[in-house]
Amino acid sequence: MLHRLAISALVVASALALGELRTGGQTVDPGDAVVLVTLDGARTEEIFGGLDLDVLKSTLKEGQKVEEVPTYRTFWAPTPDERRRKLMPFFWRLVTEDGSIAGNVALGSEASLTNRRLFSYPGYAEILVGQALDSAITSNDPIRNPEETVLEGLRRKRGLSREQVATFASWDVFKAIAEHTEGATTINAGDEPLGIAGAEVALTNRLQHETGSPWDHTRLDAFTVHQAMAYLESARPRILYVALDETDDWAHDGRYDRLLDAYSRTDRWLERLWTWLQAQPDYRGRTHLLITTDHGRGHTPEGWRHHGEKYPEAQGVWMAFVT
């Protein structure tokens, strides 16, 4: 079964948020909330199979035994199902019990991008606009999105305030990606401080500057998550987008050990987010969670660090839905 990422994600998110999707003959309440989470450049290999032993071996020093590596001892298991559950136990429990996931080619499920660029901005534009914008988006430069995004469209159609539609992103280019009309929604990206009162928010604002980041234009995902959770608790948005980045950054750096740690941390953040939502009367039982990625990567030990037009296999992606 072939799934087209952007069209599927756009249609499902729009239908759920606008109350147009019917489940068992019942129309979804228009007061329902939608939470979109993206993991940048998250390969299908790790999502569906956990630790990739060939990739891990390719990163070892000469003479180093894989069985002695902490990453192996932490994440290795004999089968793909066991490995993926070691890497992301909450994600797989949630998807198995309350949702669905597309993109596992081994089971005949293929999720594919339609843009030919196969890097970040084109991928995110495809998710948020619903079609490839290859002629308009040719780089990761922070140019304003040329089309209205689904975030703006949902705000307009549902009559929401800009505060009720929020994006929290590690990569600062999301200030341009997430909306066509500047200021139409709430966006906090890069190392931007969050303007909410409270000692914890003030500490996070300060620490994200004092800690710094290994990468230009991108903060560590922990700060993005803490800012997003603080905003969620305070502003109670109906549409929330959380865009994480470290699964791409550590791959480009060739740090497979830290890449897997990033997946594991993300799993704990997803558990925190979903547990909090289910504890709130205004979100419990009426929040629809979508989790996906902007592009894939090379499949081999030589290509896992890379993506783009030279790596056509990066067109293969995945997407999970929990309702």
Side-chain angles (χ1 to χ4, degrees):
M1 181 184 299
L2 179 63
H3 301 268
R4 289 296 178 184
L5 171 65
I7 295 175
S8 296
L10 177 69
V11 169
V12 172
S14 300
L16 291 173
L18 293 172
E20 295 171 354
L21 185 69
R22 293 184 176 272
T23 304
Q26 298 293 319
T27 301
V28 175
D29 191 317
D32 284 7
V34 173
V35 177
L36 170 64
V37 179
T38 52
L39 286 62
D40 196 298
R43 294 199 314 164
T44 55
E45 281 83 354
E46 281 71 37
I47 290 295
F48 293 109
L51 184 155
D52 185 324
L53 188 59
D54 290 335
V55 169
L56 179 61
K57 288 179 177 179
S58 74
T59 66
L60 301 184
K61 298 177 182 178
E62 186 176 354
Q64 191 174 18
K65 296 181 179 179
V66 70
E67 294 82 4
E68 299 174 354
V69 176
T71 298
Y72 178 90
R73 294 198 297 266
T74 300
F75 297 116
W76 175 251
T79 69
D81 182 68
E82 291 175 286
R83 291 196 298 275
R84 71 191 184 195
R85 291 179 186 275
K86 267 198 167 186
L87 185 63
M88 302 185 75
F90 175 77
F91 173 85
W92 277 105
R93 186 168 67 250
L94 181 65
V95 168
T96 301
E97 295 177 358
D98 299 310
S100 61
I101 187 167
N104 190 348
V105 177
L107 297 181
S109 175
E110 181 183 349
S112 180
L113 297 174
T114 61
N115 79 79
R116 68 175 186 272
R117 305 292 182 187
L118 307 183
F119 56 84
S120 290
Y121 193 161
Y124 289 122
E126 183 175 340
I127 293 171
L128 295 177
V129 173
Q131 62 182 356
L133 300 176
D134 285 338
S135 61
I137 308 298
T138 60
S139 72
N140 281 332
D141 293 341
I143 64 169
R144 180 65 49 192
N145 196 316
E147 303 288 341
E148 181 185 67
T149 68
V150 66
L151 306 172
E152 296 171 285
L154 293 175
R155 181 202 165 184
R156 174 174 50 79
K157 292 177 182 179
R158 289 185 59 185
L160 301 173
S161 68
R162 66 180 299 272
E163 291 76 20
Q164 291 177 298
V165 181
T167 296
F168 284 79
S170 297
W171 188 30
D172 66 4
V173 179
F174 268 92
K175 296 173 186 177
I177 295 173
E179 58 187 15
H180 171 64
T181 302
E182 187 173 2
T185 65
T186 297
I187 300 176
N188 179 286
D191 61 359
E192 185 176 1
L194 179 61
I196 291 178
E200 184 174 347
V201 172
L203 179 61
T204 302
N205 286 339
R206 188 173 80 247
L207 286 178
Q208 69 178 353
H209 289 285
E210 293 180 358
T211 303
S213 170
W215 313 288
D216 294 336
H217 310 292
T218 306
R219 66 183 165 196
L220 295 170
D221 287 339
F223 296 117
T224 298
V225 172
H226 281 280
Q227 301 286 52
M229 289 299 302
Y231 187 85
L232 183 60
E233 294 179 25
S234 174
R236 324 295 286 201
R238 305 316 297 168
I239 312 294
L240 176 67
Y241 177 20
V242 182
L244 305 177
D245 209 72
E246 288 186 41
T247 45
D248 186 70
D249 295 318
W250 290 122
H252 282 306
D253 287 354
R255 292 298 304 270
Y256 196 63
D257 54 344
R258 295 199 175 186
L259 170 68
L260 295 186
D261 288 340
Y263 278 103
S264 182
R265 283 193 301 274
T266 298
D267 187 67
R268 294 192 294 273
W269 291 328
L270 288 171
E271 182 174 20
R272 176 188 172 190
L273 171 64
W274 191 248
T275 300
W276 185 90
L277 288 166
Q278 297 310 303
Q280 310 302 310
D282 52 335
Y283 288 107
R284 183 175 58 247
R286 59 192 305 177
T287 299
H288 310 275
L289 176 64
L290 295 87
I291 312 170
T292 188
T293 188
D294 56 324
H295 58 75
R297 324 186 72 83
H299 292 327
T300 66
E302 295 74 33
W304 70 276
R305 297 175 56 180
H306 310 294
H307 55 90
E309 294 181 64
K310 293 182 179 179
Y311 297 86
E313 61 269 37
Q315 187 180 51
V317 290
W318 56 272
M319 48 189 161
F321 307 93
V322 180
T323 58

